Amino acid sequence: MERFKFLRFFSFRTQHDFLPSSNPVRENLINGADTDTNGEHRDGFFSNLVYGFLRRFKSGKKIDGGSKTEEEEKVYSWLYALARSEIYMAFEYVRSTERGLSFTEAEKRLKENGPNTPLEYTFPSSWHLLWSAFFHPFNIILIVLSALSYITSDNPNGCIMLILVFISVSLRFYQEYGSSKAAMQLSEYVRSPVKVQRCAGRVVQTELIVQVDQRDVVPGDIVIFEPGDLFPGDVRLLTSKHLVVSQSSLTGESWPTEKTADAREDRSTPLLELKNICFMGTNVVSGTGTGLVVSTGSKTYISAVFSTIGKHKPADSFEKGIRHISYVLVGVMLLVVTIMILVEYFTFYDLSESTLFGISVACALTPQMLPLIINTSLAKGALAMARERCIVKSLSAIRDMGSMDILCIDKTGTLTMNRAIMVNHLDSWGAPREKVLHFAFLNSYFKSDQKYPLDDAILAFVYTNGYRFQPSKWRKTDEIPFDFMRRRVSVILETESNPEGRNIQPFYRFIITKGALEDVLKVCSYVENVDMGEITAVSAEHHHRILNVVEELRNEGLRIIGVAIKNLQQTKISKQNMENEDDVESDMVFLGVIAFFDPPKDSAKEALWRLAEKGVKAKVLTGDSLSLAIKICKEVGIRTTHVTTGPELEQLNQEAFHEKVKKATVLARLTPSQKLRVVQSLQSVGNHVVGFLGDGINDSLALDAANVGISVDSAASVAKDLADIILLEKDLNVLVAGVEQGRLTFGNTMKYIKLSVIANLGSVVSLFIVTLVLRFEPLTPIQLLVQNFLYSVGQIAIPWDRMEEDYVKIPQKWSVKSLPMFILWNGPVCTLCDVATLLFVWFYYSSGGKLDESFFRSAYFIQGLLMQTLIFHLIRTEKIPFIMEIASWPVLASTVVISAIGIAIPFSIIGDFMGFTDLPLSYFGFLVVLFVGYFTVGQIVKRIYIVVYKKWL
């Protein structure tokens, strides 16, 4: 049963219903955002939207991922329009002023728009979980048959069926109840006090800075923010000073982005790269500013994106197949049972006995153990994965892992170690230079500001490689700390010896700067040529050569920082004002670059190779840069011949989008909604069973939409809530074990389904034929129910059976064609064996053309039970049973025990009570010949079926 999520969202009204409906500015803003002056729609937005809308009604299928949802399109249009407009127009659009809203107006808008929360959620109750575990077609069938059994005074049979239902439902409920209290936790990203500018006063209004809860922020509010603050809604910047924002909650990229109020954007800029728009759920890293809140609550970008959660989960093909079988069996049952009751009645004219016999036949036709076998197999798989340090939240995910043929994975922390390692130190000509490393080391060693991972990487490289730079000979006199506007850090050091080896003086002072390459080059006027031993002015040629060297390094997936120095004369430095950073960090000498790499995990390449051997292809979906993703993928063995980026996908129509997603193995710079659409495209158009491994809030949409959502214990709470499986270790090898376990679970479940349908249909057809020929019941109701009970008990061992090696090498999916074809080829063989038994007993043991009813029922009881027990060994493997392939010991033990009990019953006191009689030894000789013939004919039929199905169909 698929995972139930009871997420309840605020109603998503028209995106801008807080604007006057008759406002012509609003109409032009929303409807004309993508329209050129000649009236043609840019990118075919409305034509594509209408076509997609009508296509959904026509096909009746879910969105295939090729286009944005209507809600996303509204949000995109609104934000792009604001990004492209002047500030004074932004106030006009949201009906606000530069002084802010009054308290009365803010309260009015809060009532109109509701609390500023992206969505509302409730935890699933235990009753919901119990209902989802209970509501299965076969459970309903068993309950109905149990009720009919009690009505006809067949209490033991009714009790048995209720027990089966109880065990099945209890297993499912117990497994999913522990992890059911998982819901969206987006509120943790947006719940904090917010500084808002409001105006008050009856005659003379005064601007006030007040602090309100983020739930009370409304469109039109002016917010003031500083480092550490979260944006309470989608915000159009009004002022900004050195503003740097982290958007990792939306993009997954750890590197922050600069924002500025003065930017004027156009539609070609990706939405999340707009410089003058900040999004709900993101936070300020550094700098300050003010902004106009343009969207709150369910109208924000994050809400529009995440409101699709729970709405695009693909239909479970296995569950659909099970339900189809259920409906077919119910139809067959009603038809056959009705005919059997009528034949029985018109033969003996006993309605009560005929009805009881019909119910017994219905019980024999029903795969009573199906819910129990499925849930036992899944529970066994969950326990096996728990030993591999996996928490299984949704049992059906285990089976889906057996069908999974594509695994989409995030790069950072999954394929990589998620830590920087220094790999090289190069001068401006691209040659390794120790001097570059020396001054980079001194900068990292003496900086007193927060140490970053890159500093630790430099220090570790120096210490582990035996360099002796003697920092004790240096003394720090001052420091210019790092900030996200300059993107560099400088330290001023003093030493008694000249590290440059020239012009001996009493002491020397140097300013050493390192940081983002582009920002370091801005303050460099010179470049050092080590080979020539001279310092020359930076020319266009030098600049071009440095950028070429760096471009080559970045194409290899390396992260680069620049290093520069400046020799400060004592008389000059004492006069400089250290607060003037531009004067101090100027006319510097560019030394070179330091290269870093986030190395792949040692286990990643092996795990991906093992997954590929099992038919699971890997696709990397990341928010990071394309060059870095390609570098990592090459290291772990993922092909990079077809790659793409999120901005490239945005420009494609649906058909081109699906084709690009189908071929690409690396997709970089993806937004959360783009990851969702990629997963949906693979599912709908590619007909793949998709697994997604992610750990960030930006992965939540894809985790929810994937057939198998996989996260890790250290992931964001949202990702863990939506995942089906949680890994306690970030190791892909665990997934290999999960795939194997999923295919084992799927295979054993399919064994039971094939066994039940073939055996049950065959036995019912045989009962019908024998009843018509002999004109009496081949088995009494009690005999039929005992036979069915023993047969069902013997099937409990099926979840502990093993699978052939070839079976677990390829993904296993529910096939609409294979099961009916298998039944048509193999079902008649069972019926022929039953008819052969009838003919043998009739011609060999009848006296004067009359056949003793007790004798025939005893013979037919044993033959039917042995047939239904042994048939499992024929259908469980494509090889020759008992010779080339042997079942697991629990299955063999179950076969022996049930067969022995079935043979012994007619010779026991219980047999006398049930109306059985003793059988001669010759009959058991016939059974040996019968079953040898059955296995021979069955093997031939099975081989022909395999050849026909695999090669022709």
Side-chain angles (χ1 to χ4, degrees):
M1 189 72 65
E2 60 273 0
R3 170 170 47 111
F4 275 72
K5 290 182 173 59
F6 299 90
L7 298 176
R8 182 161 54 88
F9 301 97
F10 284 139
S11 58
F12 206 115
R13 294 171 288 180
T14 303
Q15 174 62 25
H16 309 292
D17 54 4
F18 53 82
L19 297 176
S21 58
S22 60
N23 190 343
V25 175
R26 171 186 180 273
E27 297 297 328
N28 179 65
L29 183 64
I30 303 303
N31 299 329
D34 293 317
T35 306
D36 292 329
T37 55
N38 60 1
E40 293 180 359
H41 297 293
R42 195 175 296 174
D43 297 330
F45 164 67
F46 281 100
S47 60
N48 287 339
L49 184 61
V50 173
Y51 172 77
F53 182 77
L54 295 177
R55 187 168 178 265
R56 263 189 267 174
F57 276 99
K58 179 180 179 181
S59 63
K61 295 181 180 180
K62 68 181 179 64
I63 298 173
D64 60 13
S67 59
K68 305 184 189 75
T69 63
E70 185 178 353
E71 289 80 6
E72 286 182 272
E73 288 288 4
K74 289 179 179 179
V75 170
Y76 274 53
S77 298
W78 174 240
L79 293 178
Y80 271 117
L82 286 162
R84 296 159 62 181
S85 64
E86 296 285 355
I87 290 177
Y88 75 91
M89 288 300 298
F91 282 110
E92 176 70 19
Y93 294 152
V94 298
R95 296 185 291 118
S96 184
T97 67
E98 296 180 358
R99 308 180 72 179
L101 299 175
S102 66
F103 287 91
T104 303
E105 178 65 19
E107 185 176 352
K108 176 184 176 182
R109 295 192 183 190
L110 183 62
K111 292 179 180 179
E112 292 176 352
N113 293 276
N116 179 29
T117 54
L119 54 90
E120 185 182 15
Y121 57 87
T122 56
F123 291 116
S125 67
S126 56
W127 289 109
H128 283 114
L129 293 172
L130 185 61
W131 174 254
S132 67
F134 169 79
F135 193 76
H136 190 284
F138 282 116
N139 286 339
I140 304 302
I141 293 172
L142 290 177
I143 291 174
V144 171
L145 292 177
S146 175
L148 293 174
S149 298
Y150 279 113
I151 292 173
T152 55
S153 301
D154 186 13
N155 297 337
N157 186 49
C159 183
I160 291 172
M161 285 186 283
L162 287 180
I163 291 174
L164 290 174
V165 172
F166 175 78
I167 296 174
S168 174
V169 172
S170 298
L171 273 175
R172 172 68 66 132
F173 177 77
Y174 174 77
Q175 283 291 329
E176 297 199 356
Y177 179 75
S179 57
S180 64
K181 294 181 179 179
M184 289 293 290
Q185 301 284 324
L186 283 178
S187 57
E188 69 181 75
Y189 291 94
V190 295
R191 185 167 297 176
S192 60
V194 181
K195 292 180 181 179
V196 177
Q197 178 178 304
R198 297 268 173 88
C199 56
R202 292 180 178 271
V203 180
V204 179
Q205 290 193 331
T206 305
E207 298 173 4
L208 301 175
I209 305 298
V210 296
Q211 196 170 65
V212 301
D213 188 272
Q214 66 89 23
R215 292 171 56 90
D216 299 329
V217 174
V218 296
D221 267 332
I222 296 176
V223 293
I224 297 94
F225 41 83
E226 55 190 22
D229 287 345
L230 291 165
F231 289 99
D234 292 341
V235 173
R236 169 62 160 91
L237 293 179
L238 302 177
T239 63
S240 62
K241 182 180 180 181
H242 299 172
L243 182 61
V244 179
V245 174
S246 172
Q247 298 186 151
S248 60
S249 60
L250 298 179
T251 64
E253 292 189 63
S254 57
W255 196 253
T257 182
E258 298 177 17
K259 299 283 185 175
T260 175
D262 299 329
R264 288 290 302 276
E265 302 286 2
D266 56 47
R267 187 71 191 219
S268 62
T269 306
L271 184 70
L272 294 180
E273 296 180 16
L274 294 175
K275 294 295 185 182
N276 56 6
I277 298 292
C278 297
F279 301 91
M280 187 180 202
T282 62
N283 63 283
V284 179
V285 175
S286 66
T288 58
T290 61
L292 177 66
V293 178
V294 297
S295 301
T296 59
S298 61
K299 304 176 184 68
T300 57
Y301 170 80
I302 194 171
S303 179
V305 170
F306 286 89
S307 64
T308 59
I309 287 179
K311 299 181 181 180
H312 297 307
K313 196 72 175 179
D316 190 323
S317 59
F318 186 90
E319 288 291 341
K320 287 172 62 179
I322 291 294
R323 292 182 184 276
H324 289 160
I325 288 179
S326 305
Y327 301 144
V328 170
L329 286 180
V330 168
V332 173
M333 181 192 307
L334 292 175
L335 177 63
V336 171
V337 169
T338 302
I339 295 174
M340 295 291 286
I341 291 176
L342 292 175
V343 170
E344 184 81 4
Y345 175 74
F346 287 112
T347 302
F348 303 104
Y349 297 99
D350 187 342
L351 181 60
S352 177
E353 187 69 19
S354 300
T355 303
L356 184 58
F357 181 72
I359 293 174
S360 302
V361 172
C363 293
L365 184 60
T366 304
Q368 300 175 16
M369 301 294 290
L370 181 59
L372 181 60
I373 293 294
I374 291 176
N375 290 326
T376 302
S377 297
L378 294 176
K380 178 178 173 291
L383 292 175
M385 292 188 68
R387 290 192 291 269
E388 298 288 341
R389 296 183 60 76
C390 289
I391 298 174
V392 178
K393 294 175 59 182
S394 175
L395 289 179
S396 60
I398 301 174
R399 185 184 59 244
D400 289 337
M401 286 194 73
S403 303
M404 183 176 69
D405 56 351
I406 286 185
L407 175 64
C408 297
I409 52 182
D410 187 23
K411 174 187 65 64
T412 305
T414 303
L415 296 179
T416 67
M417 295 181 179
N418 198 20
R419 62 186 178 90
I421 292 180
M422 181 183 157
V423 294
N424 221 331
H425 43 94
L426 309 173
D427 63 16
S428 58
W429 272 261
R433 295 297 176 193
E434 184 176 309
K435 186 175 182 179
V436 179
L437 177 63
H438 186 186
F439 283 99
F441 166 79
L442 292 175
N443 180 286
S444 297
Y445 184 89
F446 282 102
K447 60 175 290 194
S448 58
D449 195 25
Q450 179 183 0
K451 287 285 195 298
Y452 290 94
L454 299 186
D455 295 306
D456 296 333
I458 293 173
L459 299 177
F461 183 87
V462 170
Y463 294 142
T464 56
N465 287 277
Y467 291 98
R468 298 179 180 274
F469 292 141
Q470 298 179 316
S472 59
K473 293 185 177 182
W474 295 79
R475 182 174 63 87
K476 187 175 80 168
T477 60
D478 215 328
E479 176 178 353
I480 304 176
F482 178 88
D483 67 64
F484 283 97
M485 200 65 187
R486 292 166 44 254
R487 297 198 302 171
R488 56 183 179 262
V489 59
S490 298
V491 295
I492 298 178
L493 305 180
E494 186 178 275
T495 182
E496 294 182 357
S497 59
N498 185 6
E500 297 179 329
R502 307 187 300 272
N503 303 325
I504 303 301
Q505 295 181 13
F507 59 89
Y508 303 88
R509 284 181 179 176
F510 292 87
I511 177 172
I512 306 172
T513 300
K514 79 174 193 302
L517 176 71
E518 293 78 5
D519 293 274
V520 171
L521 282 175
K522 286 179 183 177
V523 298
C524 290
S525 301
Y526 306 95
V527 62
E528 184 176 54
N529 190 331
V530 179
D531 291 335
M532 299 178 63
E534 63 181 17
I535 296 175
T536 59
V538 175
S539 63
E541 181 183 353
H542 288 135
H543 195 268
H544 183 69
R545 185 187 63 252
I546 292 171
L547 293 181
N548 284 341
V549 170
V550 171
E551 184 66 22
E552 292 179 3
L553 295 174
R554 285 176 173 169
N555 288 338
E556 295 178 2
L558 301 179
R559 186 173 176 179
I560 305 300
I561 63 171
V563 181
I565 64 169
K566 181 180 179 181
N567 193 337
L568 302 173
Q569 296 298 327
Q570 180 185 7
T571 55
K572 292 183 179 180
I573 189 63
S574 61
K575 296 178 182 179
Q576 289 181 351
N577 182 2
M578 290 303 300
E579 294 182 359
N580 192 340
E581 301 166 356
D582 293 338
D583 291 340
V584 179
E585 296 177 328
S586 63
D587 296 327
M588 302 191 72
V589 180
F590 183 78
L591 293 183
V593 298
I594 304 292
F596 302 88
F597 184 48
D598 184 4
K601 292 182 177 179
D602 296 334
S603 60
K605 187 171 185 178
E606 176 191 358
L608 289 173
W609 178 258
R610 292 174 62 191
L611 285 170
E613 284 184 325
K614 298 187 181 305
V616 181
K617 298 178 181 179
K619 287 181 181 286
V620 174
L621 277 58
T622 179
D624 285 342
S625 66
L626 181 61
S627 59
L628 183 56
I630 290 176
K631 170 68 174 177
I632 295 297
C633 290
K634 287 181 178 179
E635 292 282 338
V636 298
I638 297 177
R639 296 179 61 184
T640 57
T641 52
H642 294 90
V643 299
T644 188
T645 63
E648 290 176 1
L649 292 176
E650 284 292 323
Q651 307 302 319
L652 302 178
N653 57 36
Q654 284 202 24
E655 184 177 350
F657 177 92
H658 296 314
E659 187 64 24
K660 178 69 74 172
V661 168
K662 175 184 176 181
K663 293 181 178 180
T665 55
V666 182
L667 300 95
R669 296 180 62 197
L670 297 181
T671 65
S673 57
Q674 287 171 338
K675 290 183 179 182
L676 167 66
R677 291 197 288 271
V678 168
V679 170
Q680 290 175 335
S681 175
L682 293 171
Q683 291 169 330
S684 301
V685 180
N687 196 29
H688 295 289
V689 177
V690 181
F692 187 91
L693 174 58
D695 59 0
I697 186 176
N698 59 306
D699 298 319
S700 299
L701 288 177
L703 281 169
D704 180 65
N707 300 88
V708 185
I710 309 165
S711 191
V712 293
D713 188 41
S714 58
S717 59
V718 179
K720 289 189 291 185
D721 288 342
L722 294 173
D724 302 302
I725 296 174
I726 297 178
L727 308 181
L728 299 183
E729 296 179 359
K730 267 191 175 181
D731 189 350
L732 289 178
N733 283 291
V734 177
L735 294 183
V736 179
V739 168
E740 293 176 348
Q741 191 62 47
R743 292 177 186 175
L744 177 65
T745 301
F746 186 94
N748 283 335
T749 306
M750 289 304 299
K751 288 177 187 177
Y752 174 78
I753 293 173
K754 291 179 179 179
L755 170 66
S756 334
V757 175
I758 291 174
N760 291 3
L761 283 177
S763 62
V764 169
V765 172
S766 301
L767 283 171
F768 181 67
I769 295 173
V770 173
T771 303
L772 291 178
V773 173
L774 297 182
R775 310 294 293 177
F776 65 81
E777 296 174 349
L779 291 174
T780 64
I782 187 64
Q783 292 170 348
L784 188 59
L785 293 174
V786 169
Q787 183 191 67
N788 189 54
F789 173 75
L790 290 174
Y791 162 64
S792 298
V793 170
Q795 294 168 335
I796 293 177
I798 291 178
W800 283 267
D801 192 20
R802 64 170 64 95
M803 294 300 303
E804 300 175 21
E805 293 183 4
D806 293 340
Y807 188 88
V808 297
K809 288 182 179 179
I810 58 175
Q812 302 298 327
K813 299 181 182 180
W814 181 278
S815 174
V816 178
K817 293 181 179 179
S818 64
L819 187 60
M821 290 293 294
F822 189 88
I823 296 170
L824 290 175
W825 276 84
N826 294 272
V829 181
C830 299
T831 303
L832 289 176
C833 289
D834 292 338
V835 173
T837 302
L838 168 64
L839 295 175
F840 176 77
V841 175
W842 179 276
F843 289 105
Y844 196 79
Y845 295 108
S846 63
S847 176
K850 291 186 178 181
L851 188 62
D852 182 76
E853 292 184 12
S854 297
F855 182 87
F856 178 81
R857 287 169 176 164
S858 301
Y860 196 75
F861 176 86
I862 293 177
Q863 181 271 331
L865 180 61
L866 294 179
M867 174 64 69
Q868 291 179 321
T869 303
L870 294 174
I871 189 178
F872 175 76
H873 296 272
L874 180 66
I875 68 171
R876 66 171 296 276
T877 176
E878 295 182 358
K879 301 177 182 178
I880 302 175
F882 301 114
I883 298 177
M884 299 177 64
E885 176 68 20
I886 302 177
S888 63
W889 72 263
V891 173
L892 290 175
S894 172
T895 301
V896 172
V897 170
I898 296 301
S899 299
I901 293 175
I903 294 173
I905 282 180
F907 300 93
S908 65
I909 300 176
I910 297 176
D912 294 338
F913 172 77
M914 295 173 58
F916 289 134
T917 186
D918 295 342
L919 297 171
L921 189 61
S922 58
Y923 176 72
F924 292 97
F926 161 76
L927 289 182
V928 172
V929 175
L930 177 69
F931 289 126
V932 170
Y934 167 73
F935 275 96
T936 302
V937 175
Q939 189 68 23
I940 294 172
V941 170
K942 181 172 64 177
R943 296 307 304 172
I944 296 175
Y945 159 76
I946 292 171
V947 172
V948 171
Y949 182 77
K950 289 186 175 180
K951 290 189 176 181
W952 294 351
L953 299 180

